[in-house]
Amino acid sequence: MSERINSAWSPSSREKERAQARKRISRKQAVVAAVSSIIVIGSLLTIVVTSPGWAVVKKTFFDINYGREVFPTVISGLWINLQLTFIGGACIGVIALGLALMRTTKSPALTPFRFLATAYVDIFRGAPLILIILLVGFGVPALRLHGISSNVIFLGTVAVVLTYSAYVAEVIRSGILSIHPSQRAAARSLGLTSGQTMRYVVLPQAIRRVVPPLLNDFVSLLKDTGLVSILGVTDAVRAAQINASRTFNYTPYVVAAILFLLITIPMTRYTDRAIRQRTNAQNAEGAI
Amino acid sequence: MSYVLELSHIRKSFGNELVLNDLSLSVQEHTATVLIGASGSGKSTLLRCINLLESIDDGQIFLDGVEISDPLINVDEVRRKLGMVFQSFNLFPHKTVLENITLAPIKVQLKSKEEAVDAAMTLLKRFDLADKADQYPDRLSGGQQQRVAIIRSLAINPRLLLLDEITSALDPVLVNEVLSIVRDLKSDGMTMVLATHEMGFATQVADEVCFLESGNILERGTAQEVLHNPKNLKTQDFLKRVHQAGRL
Ligand SMILES: Nc1ncnc2c1ncn2[C@@H]1O[C@H](COP(=O)(O)OP(=O)(O)OP(=O)(O)O)[C@@H](O)[C@H]1O
Ligand SMILES: [Mg+2]
Protein backbone atom coordinates (compact mmCIF):
# COMPACT_ATOMS: atom_id res chain seq x y z
CA MET A 1 0.00 0.00 0.00
CA SER A 2 1.27 3.48 -0.78
CA GLU A 3 2.57 5.75 1.96
CA ARG A 4 0.91 9.05 2.64
CA ILE A 5 2.98 12.05 1.60
CA ASN A 6 4.83 13.21 4.68
CA SER A 7 4.00 16.88 5.26
CA ALA A 8 7.00 17.38 7.55
CA TRP A 9 9.39 16.68 4.67
CA SER A 10 11.87 19.36 3.73
CA PRO A 11 14.33 18.88 0.89
CA SER A 12 17.82 17.64 1.78
CA SER A 13 20.82 19.84 1.04
CA ARG A 14 21.67 17.55 -1.87
CA GLU A 15 18.20 18.03 -3.33
CA LYS A 16 18.58 21.80 -2.93
CA GLU A 17 21.84 21.66 -4.86
CA ARG A 18 20.17 19.65 -7.59
CA ALA A 19 17.29 22.14 -7.80
CA GLN A 20 19.84 24.96 -8.14
CA ALA A 21 21.63 23.10 -10.90
CA ARG A 22 18.37 22.41 -12.72
CA LYS A 23 17.49 26.10 -12.53
CA ARG A 24 20.90 27.09 -13.94
CA ILE A 25 20.55 24.62 -16.79
CA SER A 26 17.07 25.81 -17.75
CA ARG A 27 18.15 29.47 -17.59
CA LYS A 28 21.03 28.72 -19.90
CA GLN A 29 18.72 26.89 -22.31
CA ALA A 30 16.33 29.87 -22.38
CA VAL A 31 19.20 32.23 -23.25
CA VAL A 32 20.42 29.94 -26.05
CA ALA A 33 16.89 29.66 -27.47
CA ALA A 34 16.37 33.42 -27.41
CA VAL A 35 19.70 34.21 -29.04
CA SER A 36 19.23 31.63 -31.77
CA SER A 37 15.67 32.85 -32.48
CA ILE A 38 16.84 36.44 -32.76
CA ILE A 39 19.62 35.47 -35.14
CA VAL A 40 17.47 33.25 -37.38
CA ILE A 41 14.38 35.45 -37.55
CA GLY A 42 16.46 38.61 -37.73
CA SER A 43 18.48 37.39 -40.70
CA LEU A 44 15.35 36.17 -42.50
CA LEU A 45 13.74 39.58 -42.02
CA THR A 46 16.91 41.33 -43.15
CA ILE A 47 17.07 39.21 -46.30
CA VAL A 48 13.46 40.06 -47.14
CA VAL A 49 13.61 43.74 -46.27
CA THR A 50 16.91 44.39 -48.00
CA SER A 51 15.94 42.48 -51.14
CA PRO A 52 15.84 44.60 -54.29
CA GLY A 53 12.10 44.12 -54.73
CA TRP A 54 11.04 44.78 -51.15
CA ALA A 55 9.80 48.31 -51.76
CA VAL A 56 7.44 47.08 -54.48
CA VAL A 57 6.32 44.02 -52.49
CA LYS A 58 5.62 46.19 -49.49
CA LYS A 59 3.39 48.43 -51.55
CA THR A 60 1.53 45.67 -53.42
CA PHE A 61 1.11 43.15 -50.57
CA PHE A 62 1.26 45.11 -47.36
CA ASP A 63 -0.51 48.39 -48.10
CA ILE A 64 -2.09 49.07 -44.74
CA ASN A 65 -4.46 51.77 -45.89
CA TYR A 66 -5.76 49.68 -48.74
CA GLY A 67 -6.02 46.72 -46.41
CA ARG A 68 -8.27 48.76 -44.15
CA GLU A 69 -10.40 49.75 -47.08
CA VAL A 70 -11.06 46.18 -48.29
CA PHE A 71 -11.40 44.70 -44.81
CA PRO A 72 -15.25 44.95 -44.67
CA THR A 73 -15.80 43.13 -47.98
CA VAL A 74 -13.30 40.40 -47.12
CA ILE A 75 -14.80 39.84 -43.71
CA SER A 76 -18.32 39.62 -45.08
CA GLY A 77 -16.93 37.03 -47.49
CA LEU A 78 -15.45 35.18 -44.54
CA TRP A 79 -18.91 35.03 -43.02
CA ILE A 80 -19.89 32.89 -46.04
CA ASN A 81 -16.94 30.57 -45.35
CA LEU A 82 -18.00 30.22 -41.74
CA GLN A 83 -21.62 29.50 -42.63
CA LEU A 84 -20.48 26.96 -45.17
CA THR A 85 -18.23 25.36 -42.58
CA PHE A 86 -20.89 25.00 -39.92
CA ILE A 87 -23.85 24.01 -42.11
CA GLY A 88 -21.63 21.75 -44.20
CA GLY A 89 -20.02 20.36 -41.06
CA ALA A 90 -23.39 19.31 -39.66
CA CYS A 91 -24.37 17.55 -42.89
CA ILE A 92 -20.96 15.90 -43.09
CA GLY A 93 -21.32 14.55 -39.56
CA VAL A 94 -24.63 12.88 -40.31
CA ILE A 95 -23.68 11.46 -43.71
CA ALA A 96 -20.26 10.29 -42.53
CA LEU A 97 -21.77 8.48 -39.56
CA GLY A 98 -24.19 6.72 -41.88
CA LEU A 99 -21.40 5.72 -44.25
CA ALA A 100 -19.20 4.47 -41.42
CA LEU A 101 -22.03 2.37 -39.98
CA MET A 102 -22.84 0.94 -43.40
CA ARG A 103 -19.22 0.01 -43.97
CA THR A 104 -18.87 -1.73 -40.61
CA THR A 105 -22.18 -3.59 -40.60
CA LYS A 106 -22.14 -7.34 -41.06
CA SER A 107 -25.86 -7.70 -41.65
CA PRO A 108 -26.43 -9.53 -44.94
CA ALA A 109 -29.49 -7.43 -45.78
CA LEU A 110 -27.25 -4.38 -45.95
CA THR A 111 -24.63 -5.94 -48.23
CA PRO A 112 -25.49 -3.72 -51.23
CA PHE A 113 -25.28 -0.63 -49.01
CA ARG A 114 -21.93 -1.72 -47.71
CA PHE A 115 -20.72 -2.09 -51.26
CA LEU A 116 -22.11 1.30 -52.28
CA ALA A 117 -20.65 3.00 -49.22
CA THR A 118 -17.23 1.54 -50.00
CA ALA A 119 -17.41 2.70 -53.61
CA TYR A 120 -18.55 6.15 -52.49
CA VAL A 121 -15.68 6.53 -50.05
CA ASP A 122 -13.14 5.33 -52.60
CA ILE A 123 -14.33 7.81 -55.21
CA PHE A 124 -14.69 10.91 -53.09
CA ARG A 125 -11.59 10.31 -51.05
CA GLY A 126 -9.54 9.71 -54.18
CA ALA A 127 -10.63 12.66 -56.31
CA PRO A 128 -9.24 16.19 -55.74
CA LEU A 129 -11.79 18.40 -54.01
CA ILE A 130 -11.38 21.13 -56.59
CA LEU A 131 -12.47 18.75 -59.35
CA ILE A 132 -15.54 17.70 -57.41
CA ILE A 133 -16.41 21.37 -56.88
CA LEU A 134 -16.05 22.09 -60.60
CA LEU A 135 -18.01 18.99 -61.60
CA VAL A 136 -20.87 19.66 -59.21
CA GLY A 137 -20.81 23.43 -59.65
CA PHE A 138 -20.89 23.40 -63.43
CA GLY A 139 -22.17 19.89 -64.16
CA VAL A 140 -25.34 19.87 -62.10
CA PRO A 141 -26.79 23.14 -63.47
CA ALA A 142 -26.03 21.86 -66.99
CA LEU A 143 -28.39 18.94 -66.33
CA ARG A 144 -31.22 21.45 -65.88
CA LEU A 145 -32.97 19.22 -63.42
CA HIS A 146 -36.19 20.52 -62.00
CA GLY A 147 -36.18 21.36 -58.34
CA ILE A 148 -32.38 21.29 -58.01
CA SER A 149 -31.09 24.69 -57.16
CA SER A 150 -28.32 26.09 -59.31
CA ASN A 151 -27.33 28.49 -56.57
CA VAL A 152 -23.53 28.37 -56.48
CA ILE A 153 -23.31 28.56 -52.72
CA PHE A 154 -25.61 25.55 -52.45
CA LEU A 155 -23.71 23.57 -55.10
CA GLY A 156 -20.35 24.49 -53.61
CA THR A 157 -21.53 23.29 -50.20
CA VAL A 158 -22.81 20.05 -51.73
CA ALA A 159 -19.43 19.39 -53.35
CA VAL A 160 -17.55 20.02 -50.12
CA VAL A 161 -20.01 17.88 -48.14
CA LEU A 162 -19.70 15.02 -50.64
CA THR A 163 -15.93 14.95 -50.32
CA TYR A 164 -15.58 15.56 -46.62
CA SER A 165 -18.21 12.95 -45.77
CA ALA A 166 -15.90 10.38 -47.29
CA TYR A 167 -12.91 11.56 -45.22
CA VAL A 168 -14.86 11.77 -42.00
CA ALA A 169 -16.55 8.41 -42.58
CA GLU A 170 -13.11 6.81 -42.70
CA VAL A 171 -12.06 8.49 -39.48
CA ILE A 172 -15.20 7.30 -37.70
CA ARG A 173 -14.82 3.84 -39.14
CA SER A 174 -11.25 3.61 -37.90
CA GLY A 175 -12.57 4.60 -34.46
CA ILE A 176 -15.16 1.85 -34.57
CA LEU A 177 -12.57 -0.72 -35.59
CA SER A 178 -10.26 0.40 -32.80
CA ILE A 179 -12.70 -0.72 -30.11
CA HIS A 180 -11.50 -4.07 -28.78
CA PRO A 181 -13.69 -7.04 -29.77
CA SER A 182 -14.01 -7.99 -26.11
CA GLN A 183 -16.27 -4.96 -25.64
CA ARG A 184 -18.59 -6.31 -28.28
CA ALA A 185 -18.43 -9.80 -26.80
CA ALA A 186 -19.32 -8.44 -23.36
CA ALA A 187 -22.28 -6.49 -24.72
CA ARG A 188 -23.57 -9.36 -26.81
CA SER A 189 -23.24 -11.77 -23.92
CA LEU A 190 -25.59 -9.52 -21.95
CA GLY A 191 -28.17 -10.04 -24.67
CA LEU A 192 -27.81 -6.72 -26.44
CA THR A 193 -28.52 -6.96 -30.16
CA SER A 194 -25.77 -5.99 -32.58
CA GLY A 195 -27.51 -2.67 -33.18
CA GLN A 196 -27.77 -1.93 -29.46
CA THR A 197 -24.15 -2.97 -29.01
CA MET A 198 -23.11 -0.48 -31.67
CA ARG A 199 -25.26 2.30 -30.27
CA TYR A 200 -24.62 1.99 -26.56
CA VAL A 201 -21.19 0.40 -26.33
CA VAL A 202 -19.07 0.72 -29.47
CA LEU A 203 -20.05 4.06 -30.98
CA PRO A 204 -19.80 6.23 -27.84
CA GLN A 205 -16.27 4.97 -27.25
CA ALA A 206 -15.31 5.23 -30.92
CA ILE A 207 -16.51 8.81 -31.30
CA ARG A 208 -14.68 9.87 -28.17
CA ARG A 209 -11.53 8.41 -29.61
CA VAL A 210 -11.79 10.22 -32.95
CA VAL A 211 -12.73 13.68 -31.71
CA PRO A 212 -9.18 15.04 -32.11
CA PRO A 213 -8.72 13.91 -35.74
CA LEU A 214 -12.21 15.19 -36.47
CA LEU A 215 -11.26 18.60 -35.12
CA ASN A 216 -8.32 18.52 -37.54
CA ASP A 217 -10.68 17.81 -40.39
CA PHE A 218 -12.87 20.67 -39.22
CA VAL A 219 -9.97 23.10 -39.56
CA SER A 220 -9.23 21.77 -43.06
CA LEU A 221 -12.89 22.12 -43.91
CA LEU A 222 -12.86 25.80 -43.04
CA LYS A 223 -9.82 26.36 -45.24
CA ASP A 224 -11.18 24.28 -48.09
CA THR A 225 -14.42 26.25 -48.19
CA GLY A 226 -12.19 28.89 -49.82
CA LEU A 227 -12.15 26.65 -52.90
CA VAL A 228 -15.81 27.32 -53.66
CA SER A 229 -14.66 30.77 -54.79
CA ILE A 230 -13.87 29.17 -58.15
CA LEU A 231 -17.61 28.85 -58.69
CA GLY A 232 -17.98 32.59 -58.20
CA VAL A 233 -19.22 32.44 -54.61
CA THR A 234 -18.19 35.71 -52.99
CA ASP A 235 -16.44 34.21 -49.99
CA ALA A 236 -13.37 35.74 -48.39
CA VAL A 237 -11.02 34.47 -51.11
CA ARG A 238 -13.24 35.67 -53.93
CA ALA A 239 -13.83 39.04 -52.28
CA ALA A 240 -10.08 39.48 -52.00
CA GLN A 241 -9.62 38.41 -55.59
CA ILE A 242 -12.17 40.92 -56.88
CA ASN A 243 -10.47 43.76 -55.07
CA ALA A 244 -6.99 42.66 -56.05
CA SER A 245 -7.78 42.41 -59.73
CA ARG A 246 -9.42 45.82 -59.69
CA THR A 247 -6.35 47.62 -58.34
CA PHE A 248 -3.49 45.19 -59.03
CA ASN A 249 -2.69 45.42 -55.35
CA TYR A 250 -2.52 42.07 -53.55
CA THR A 251 -3.04 43.32 -50.03
CA PRO A 252 -6.61 41.88 -49.95
CA TYR A 253 -5.12 38.36 -50.24
CA VAL A 254 -2.95 39.03 -47.24
CA VAL A 255 -5.97 40.34 -45.34
CA ALA A 256 -7.92 37.18 -46.21
CA ALA A 257 -4.98 34.97 -45.18
CA ILE A 258 -4.66 36.75 -41.85
CA LEU A 259 -8.40 36.42 -41.18
CA PHE A 260 -8.29 32.68 -41.89
CA LEU A 261 -5.27 32.31 -39.63
CA LEU A 262 -7.00 34.20 -36.84
CA ILE A 263 -9.63 31.47 -36.80
CA THR A 264 -7.60 28.39 -37.67
CA ILE A 265 -4.61 28.92 -35.39
CA PRO A 266 -6.68 28.95 -32.18
CA MET A 267 -8.60 25.96 -33.53
CA THR A 268 -5.45 23.95 -34.22
CA ARG A 269 -4.02 24.89 -30.83
CA TYR A 270 -7.21 23.67 -29.22
CA THR A 271 -7.08 20.47 -31.28
CA ASP A 272 -3.50 19.77 -30.28
CA ARG A 273 -4.46 20.17 -26.67
CA ALA A 274 -7.44 17.87 -27.11
CA ILE A 275 -5.21 15.24 -28.71
CA ARG A 276 -2.73 15.47 -25.87
CA GLN A 277 -5.42 15.15 -23.24
CA ARG A 278 -6.97 12.23 -25.10
CA THR A 279 -3.61 10.41 -25.26
CA ASN A 280 -2.99 10.95 -21.57
CA ALA A 281 -6.46 9.73 -20.67
CA GLN A 282 -6.07 6.65 -22.82
CA ASN A 283 -2.78 5.82 -21.20
CA ALA A 284 -4.50 5.97 -17.83
CA GLU A 285 -7.14 3.63 -19.12
CA GLY A 286 -4.52 1.02 -20.03
CA ALA A 287 -5.30 -1.48 -22.74
CA ILE A 288 -8.89 -0.41 -23.34
CA MET B 1 -33.40 -36.08 -14.93
CA SER B 2 -33.49 -32.75 -16.70
CA TYR B 3 -30.40 -30.68 -17.17
CA VAL B 4 -29.98 -26.92 -17.43
CA LEU B 5 -27.21 -27.36 -19.96
CA GLU B 6 -26.35 -30.30 -22.13
CA LEU B 7 -23.47 -30.46 -24.56
CA SER B 8 -23.33 -33.41 -26.85
CA HIS B 9 -20.43 -34.31 -29.11
CA ILE B 10 -19.18 -30.75 -29.54
CA ARG B 11 -16.47 -30.20 -32.09
CA LYS B 12 -14.75 -26.87 -32.66
CA SER B 13 -11.65 -25.98 -34.62
CA PHE B 14 -9.81 -22.79 -35.48
CA GLY B 15 -8.21 -23.29 -38.86
CA ASN B 16 -6.24 -26.52 -38.59
CA GLU B 17 -6.31 -26.53 -34.83
CA LEU B 18 -8.92 -28.84 -33.35
CA VAL B 19 -9.76 -27.21 -30.01
CA LEU B 20 -12.81 -29.22 -28.91
CA ASN B 21 -13.15 -32.79 -30.08
CA ASP B 22 -16.37 -34.73 -29.46
CA LEU B 23 -16.90 -33.18 -26.06
CA SER B 24 -20.03 -33.97 -24.05
CA LEU B 25 -21.10 -32.47 -20.73
CA SER B 26 -24.31 -32.16 -18.70
CA VAL B 27 -24.97 -29.60 -16.01
CA GLN B 28 -27.71 -30.03 -13.42
CA GLU B 29 -29.62 -27.20 -11.84
CA HIS B 30 -28.03 -25.55 -8.77
CA THR B 31 -24.66 -27.13 -9.38
CA ALA B 32 -21.23 -25.73 -10.10
CA THR B 33 -19.19 -27.41 -12.80
CA VAL B 34 -15.52 -26.51 -12.79
CA LEU B 35 -13.35 -26.82 -15.89
CA ILE B 36 -9.64 -27.26 -15.32
CA GLY B 37 -6.87 -27.88 -17.80
CA ALA B 38 -3.65 -26.46 -19.14
CA SER B 39 -3.51 -23.11 -20.85
CA GLY B 40 -4.80 -23.54 -24.39
CA SER B 41 -6.82 -26.65 -23.56
CA GLY B 42 -10.01 -24.96 -24.75
CA LYS B 43 -11.77 -23.87 -21.54
CA SER B 44 -12.50 -20.36 -22.78
CA THR B 45 -13.49 -21.68 -26.17
CA LEU B 46 -15.97 -24.07 -24.59
CA LEU B 47 -17.59 -21.28 -22.56
CA ARG B 48 -17.74 -19.01 -25.59
CA CYS B 49 -19.39 -21.77 -27.60
CA ILE B 50 -22.04 -22.22 -24.90
CA ASN B 51 -22.73 -18.48 -25.05
CA LEU B 52 -22.90 -18.67 -28.86
CA LEU B 53 -20.03 -16.22 -29.17
CA GLU B 54 -18.31 -18.92 -31.21
CA SER B 55 -20.06 -21.22 -33.65
CA ILE B 56 -19.43 -24.94 -33.31
CA ASP B 57 -18.41 -27.24 -36.13
CA ASP B 58 -20.50 -30.17 -34.96
CA GLY B 59 -22.56 -31.42 -32.04
CA GLN B 60 -25.52 -29.98 -30.16
CA ILE B 61 -26.03 -27.60 -27.24
CA PHE B 62 -29.25 -27.66 -25.22
CA LEU B 63 -30.36 -25.05 -22.73
CA ASP B 64 -33.30 -26.28 -20.64
CA GLY B 65 -33.91 -28.92 -23.27
CA VAL B 66 -34.07 -26.42 -26.14
CA GLU B 67 -31.41 -26.80 -28.79
CA ILE B 68 -29.58 -23.47 -28.92
CA SER B 69 -27.09 -24.65 -31.52
CA ASP B 70 -29.97 -24.51 -34.00
CA PRO B 71 -29.02 -21.85 -36.57
CA LEU B 72 -32.60 -20.56 -36.56
CA ILE B 73 -32.54 -19.71 -32.86
CA ASN B 74 -32.59 -16.06 -31.76
CA VAL B 75 -29.12 -15.73 -30.26
CA ASP B 76 -29.96 -12.54 -28.40
CA GLU B 77 -32.76 -14.32 -26.55
CA VAL B 78 -30.47 -17.21 -25.67
CA ARG B 79 -27.80 -14.87 -24.35
CA ARG B 80 -30.35 -13.17 -22.11
CA LYS B 81 -30.58 -16.43 -20.20
CA LEU B 82 -26.82 -16.78 -19.87
CA GLY B 83 -24.53 -14.60 -17.85
CA MET B 84 -20.88 -14.55 -18.80
CA VAL B 85 -17.93 -13.06 -17.00
CA PHE B 86 -14.69 -12.87 -18.92
CA GLN B 87 -11.08 -13.51 -18.08
CA SER B 88 -10.32 -9.80 -18.49
CA PHE B 89 -12.99 -7.59 -17.06
CA ASN B 90 -14.59 -6.13 -20.18
CA LEU B 91 -16.48 -3.44 -18.33
CA PHE B 92 -17.61 -0.58 -20.54
CA PRO B 93 -15.08 2.20 -19.81
CA HIS B 94 -17.38 5.03 -20.88
CA LYS B 95 -20.13 4.03 -18.47
CA THR B 96 -20.21 4.25 -14.69
CA VAL B 97 -20.48 1.12 -12.56
CA LEU B 98 -24.22 1.65 -12.21
CA GLU B 99 -24.69 2.26 -15.94
CA ASN B 100 -22.65 -0.85 -16.72
CA ILE B 101 -24.99 -2.91 -14.59
CA THR B 102 -28.28 -1.36 -15.68
CA LEU B 103 -27.60 -1.23 -19.43
CA ALA B 104 -28.88 -4.71 -20.23
CA PRO B 105 -31.85 -4.65 -17.79
CA ILE B 106 -33.03 -1.37 -19.31
CA LYS B 107 -32.31 -2.00 -22.98
CA VAL B 108 -32.75 -5.74 -23.19
CA GLN B 109 -35.25 -6.63 -20.47
CA LEU B 110 -37.00 -3.27 -20.91
CA LYS B 111 -37.20 -2.61 -17.21
CA SER B 112 -37.88 0.93 -16.07
CA LYS B 113 -34.83 2.90 -15.06
CA GLU B 114 -35.91 3.07 -11.38
CA GLU B 115 -36.49 -0.64 -11.23
CA ALA B 116 -33.14 -1.42 -12.84
CA VAL B 117 -31.28 1.02 -10.59
CA ASP B 118 -32.97 -0.38 -7.47
CA ALA B 119 -32.03 -3.92 -8.42
CA ALA B 120 -28.48 -2.87 -9.26
CA MET B 121 -28.07 -0.99 -5.98
CA THR B 122 -29.31 -4.00 -4.05
CA LEU B 123 -26.67 -6.15 -5.71
CA LEU B 124 -23.97 -3.51 -5.21
CA LYS B 125 -24.85 -3.21 -1.54
CA ARG B 126 -24.83 -6.92 -1.10
CA PHE B 127 -21.31 -7.14 -2.51
CA ASP B 128 -20.02 -4.04 -0.71
CA LEU B 129 -19.68 -1.86 -3.77
CA ALA B 130 -22.51 0.62 -3.25
CA ASP B 131 -20.10 3.51 -2.77
CA LYS B 132 -18.59 2.83 -6.20
CA ALA B 133 -21.87 3.08 -8.12
CA ASP B 134 -21.01 6.38 -9.80
CA GLN B 135 -17.34 5.66 -10.48
CA TYR B 136 -15.94 4.84 -13.87
CA PRO B 137 -14.37 1.37 -14.12
CA ASP B 138 -10.80 2.59 -14.59
CA ARG B 139 -10.93 4.09 -11.10
CA LEU B 140 -11.59 0.69 -9.55
CA SER B 141 -9.14 -1.96 -8.44
CA GLY B 142 -8.97 -5.16 -10.46
CA GLY B 143 -10.92 -7.08 -7.85
CA GLN B 144 -13.62 -4.43 -7.70
CA GLN B 145 -13.86 -4.39 -11.48
CA GLN B 146 -14.27 -8.12 -11.61
CA ARG B 147 -16.95 -8.03 -8.92
CA VAL B 148 -18.79 -5.38 -10.92
CA ALA B 149 -18.52 -7.60 -13.99
CA ILE B 150 -20.08 -10.46 -12.03
CA ILE B 151 -22.86 -8.21 -10.75
CA ARG B 152 -23.45 -6.95 -14.29
CA SER B 153 -24.05 -10.48 -15.51
CA LEU B 154 -26.24 -11.28 -12.48
CA ALA B 155 -28.43 -8.26 -13.17
CA ILE B 156 -30.07 -10.04 -16.11
CA ASN B 157 -31.09 -12.93 -13.80
CA PRO B 158 -29.35 -15.56 -15.85
CA ARG B 159 -30.42 -19.19 -15.83
CA LEU B 160 -26.79 -20.20 -16.05
CA LEU B 161 -23.65 -18.27 -15.20
CA LEU B 162 -20.44 -18.83 -17.17
CA LEU B 163 -17.29 -17.65 -15.44
CA ASP B 164 -14.04 -17.70 -17.36
CA GLU B 165 -10.97 -17.62 -15.13
CA ILE B 166 -12.35 -14.61 -13.39
CA THR B 167 -9.40 -14.39 -11.02
CA SER B 168 -6.49 -14.93 -13.38
CA ALA B 169 -5.84 -11.20 -13.82
CA LEU B 170 -5.86 -10.53 -10.09
CA ASP B 171 -3.27 -10.67 -7.35
CA PRO B 172 -3.87 -13.22 -4.55
CA VAL B 173 -5.41 -10.73 -2.13
CA LEU B 174 -8.04 -9.64 -4.63
CA VAL B 175 -8.73 -13.21 -5.67
CA ASN B 176 -10.46 -13.88 -2.38
CA GLU B 177 -12.94 -11.06 -2.58
CA VAL B 178 -14.01 -12.27 -6.01
CA LEU B 179 -14.17 -15.91 -5.02
CA SER B 180 -16.30 -15.14 -1.99
CA ILE B 181 -18.95 -13.74 -4.34
CA VAL B 182 -18.93 -16.99 -6.27
CA ARG B 183 -19.28 -18.92 -3.03
CA ASP B 184 -22.30 -16.78 -2.14
CA LEU B 185 -23.86 -17.41 -5.52
CA LYS B 186 -23.26 -21.10 -5.12
CA SER B 187 -25.11 -21.13 -1.82
CA ASP B 188 -27.93 -19.15 -3.47
CA GLY B 189 -28.30 -22.10 -5.82
CA MET B 190 -27.05 -20.42 -8.97
CA THR B 191 -26.13 -22.88 -11.72
CA MET B 192 -22.59 -22.20 -12.88
CA VAL B 193 -19.92 -23.42 -15.23
CA LEU B 194 -16.53 -22.00 -14.45
CA ALA B 195 -13.02 -22.31 -15.73
CA THR B 196 -10.34 -21.77 -13.13
CA HIS B 197 -6.74 -22.32 -12.18
CA GLU B 198 -7.53 -21.98 -8.47
CA MET B 199 -7.64 -25.60 -7.38
CA GLY B 200 -8.33 -24.78 -3.77
CA PHE B 201 -11.34 -22.79 -4.80
CA ALA B 202 -12.43 -25.54 -7.18
CA THR B 203 -12.39 -27.94 -4.26
CA GLN B 204 -14.68 -25.63 -2.30
CA VAL B 205 -17.37 -24.94 -4.87
CA ALA B 206 -17.28 -27.71 -7.45
CA ASP B 207 -20.00 -30.31 -7.62
CA GLU B 208 -18.22 -31.69 -10.62
CA VAL B 209 -14.69 -31.10 -11.86
CA CYS B 210 -13.82 -31.74 -15.51
CA PHE B 211 -10.23 -31.99 -16.69
CA LEU B 212 -9.88 -30.79 -20.27
CA GLU B 213 -7.05 -32.11 -22.39
CA SER B 214 -6.62 -32.27 -26.16
CA GLY B 215 -10.14 -31.12 -26.81
CA ASN B 216 -11.96 -33.51 -24.57
CA ILE B 217 -12.86 -34.16 -20.95
CA LEU B 218 -10.26 -36.67 -19.92
CA GLU B 219 -11.45 -37.14 -16.39
CA ARG B 220 -14.52 -35.99 -14.50
CA GLY B 221 -15.93 -36.47 -11.02
CA THR B 222 -16.21 -34.78 -7.67
CA ALA B 223 -13.44 -32.45 -6.60
CA GLN B 224 -12.30 -35.14 -4.19
CA GLU B 225 -12.00 -37.68 -7.00
CA VAL B 226 -10.42 -35.55 -9.71
CA LEU B 227 -8.28 -33.15 -7.72
CA HIS B 228 -7.15 -35.39 -4.90
CA ASN B 229 -7.27 -38.89 -6.37
CA PRO B 230 -6.86 -38.49 -10.10
CA LYS B 231 -6.86 -41.77 -11.97
CA ASN B 232 -5.69 -40.53 -15.32
CA LEU B 233 -1.95 -40.12 -15.74
CA LYS B 234 -2.34 -36.84 -17.59
CA THR B 235 -4.54 -35.42 -14.84
CA GLN B 236 -1.97 -36.47 -12.29
CA ASP B 237 0.73 -34.82 -14.35
CA PHE B 238 -1.25 -31.59 -14.73
CA LEU B 239 -2.04 -31.43 -11.02
CA LYS B 240 1.59 -32.08 -10.17
CA ARG B 241 2.60 -29.11 -12.28
CA VAL B 242 -0.10 -26.95 -10.71
CA HIS B 243 1.08 -28.09 -7.32
CA GLN B 244 4.66 -27.14 -8.12
CA ALA B 245 3.47 -23.72 -9.21
CA GLY B 246 1.97 -23.43 -5.74
CA ARG B 247 -1.67 -23.14 -6.65
CA LEU B 248 -3.17 -26.14 -4.89
N1 LIG C 1 -10.40 -16.77 -32.17
C1 LIG C 1 -9.45 -17.73 -32.25
N2 LIG C 1 -8.82 -17.93 -33.41
C2 LIG C 1 -7.87 -18.90 -33.52
N3 LIG C 1 -7.50 -19.69 -32.53
C3 LIG C 1 -8.08 -19.53 -31.33
C4 LIG C 1 -9.08 -18.54 -31.12
N4 LIG C 1 -9.50 -18.60 -29.84
C5 LIG C 1 -8.77 -19.58 -29.28
N5 LIG C 1 -7.92 -20.16 -30.15
C6 LIG C 1 -7.01 -21.28 -29.88
O1 LIG C 1 -7.76 -22.28 -29.27
C7 LIG C 1 -6.99 -22.93 -28.26
C8 LIG C 1 -7.79 -22.93 -26.97
O2 LIG C 1 -7.87 -21.62 -26.49
P1 LIG C 1 -8.67 -21.26 -25.18
O3 LIG C 1 -8.62 -19.78 -25.03
O4 LIG C 1 -10.00 -21.88 -25.22
O5 LIG C 1 -7.79 -21.94 -24.05
P2 LIG C 1 -7.96 -21.88 -22.47
O6 LIG C 1 -8.10 -23.27 -22.01
O7 LIG C 1 -9.03 -20.93 -22.11
O8 LIG C 1 -6.55 -21.33 -22.02
P3 LIG C 1 -6.18 -20.33 -20.82
O9 LIG C 1 -6.12 -21.17 -19.59
O10 LIG C 1 -4.82 -19.82 -21.17
O11 LIG C 1 -7.21 -19.26 -20.78
C9 LIG C 1 -5.68 -22.17 -28.16
O12 LIG C 1 -4.69 -22.93 -28.77
C10 LIG C 1 -5.92 -20.91 -28.91
O13 LIG C 1 -4.77 -20.52 -29.58
MG1 LIG D 1 -9.06 -19.01 -21.24
Side-chain angles (χ1 to χ4, degrees), chain B residues 57-118:
Chain B
D57 300 344
D58 204 350
Q60 287 172 297
I61 307 174
F62 297 91
L63 184 65
D64 286 323
V66 177
E67 187 186 345
I68 60 171
S69 46
D70 182 341
L72 296 178
I73 201 105
N74 180 339
V75 291
D76 297 321
E77 253 161 48
V78 172
R79 294 200 189 109
R80 281 167 211 179
K81 297 185 196 144
L82 298 169
M84 173 131 183
V85 183
F86 296 82
Q87 209 160 344
S88 55
F89 324 124
N90 291 10
L91 292 174
F92 306 132
H94 63 299
K95 292 192 176 293
T96 63
V97 165
L98 192 61
E99 289 165 348
N100 262 279
I101 299 170
T102 55
L103 178 67
I106 292 173
K107 298 299 173 193
V108 176
Q109 300 180 323
L110 306 176
K111 286 190 186 163
S112 73
K113 184 154 183 249
E114 295 77 51
E115 199 185 343
V117 168
D118 279 353

Side-chain angles (χ1 to χ4, degrees), chain A residues 105-169:
Chain A
T105 176
K106 294 205 175 72
S107 151
L110 295 175
T111 303
F113 292 102
R114 188 164 62 235
F115 178 76
L116 286 175
T118 308
Y120 177 95
V121 169
D122 283 349
I123 290 170
F124 285 98
R125 216 165 40 132
L129 173 57
I130 194 153
L131 283 182
I132 305 292
I133 291 176
L134 288 170
L135 286 172
V136 173
F138 295 125
V140 172
L143 293 174
R144 299 197 198 168
L145 290 170
H146 267 295
I148 300 257
S149 160
S150 55
N151 175 321
V152 278
I153 297 188
F154 172 75
L155 292 173
T157 313
V158 167
V160 172
V161 167
L162 285 174
T163 302
Y164 266 80
S165 296
Y167 297 156
V168 173

Side-chain angles (χ1 to χ4, degrees), chain B residues 12-15 17-20 35-48 54 87 164-165 168 195-197 212:
Chain B
K12 169 73 189 173
S13 56
F14 289 111
E17 192 189 347
L18 188 55
V19 180
L20 302 176
L35 308 172
I36 61 169
S39 188
S41 57
K43 303 179 295 291
S44 298
T45 305
L46 180 59
L47 293 174
R48 292 172 64 88
E54 298 284 355
Q87 209 160 344
D164 187 6
E165 282 178 44
S168 66
T196 187
H197 285 301
L212 258 71

Side-chain angles (χ1 to χ4, degrees), chain B residues 145-190:
Chain B
Q145 290 185 43
Q146 195 57 294
R147 277 145 66 201
V148 171
I150 296 173
I151 293 173
R152 183 175 71 177
S153 60
L154 289 176
I156 57 173
N157 304 312
R159 183 79 178 104
L160 173 67
L161 195 57
L162 307 170
L163 304 171
D164 187 6
E165 282 178 44
I166 51 172
T167 57
S168 66
L170 304 176
D171 70 52
V173 181
L174 298 180
V175 164
N176 279 325
E177 62 183 44
V178 172
L179 293 187
S180 78
I181 285 200
V182 179
R183 258 179 248 120
D184 281 3
L185 295 178
K186 159 87 179 148
S187 51
D188 284 358
M190 173 65 78

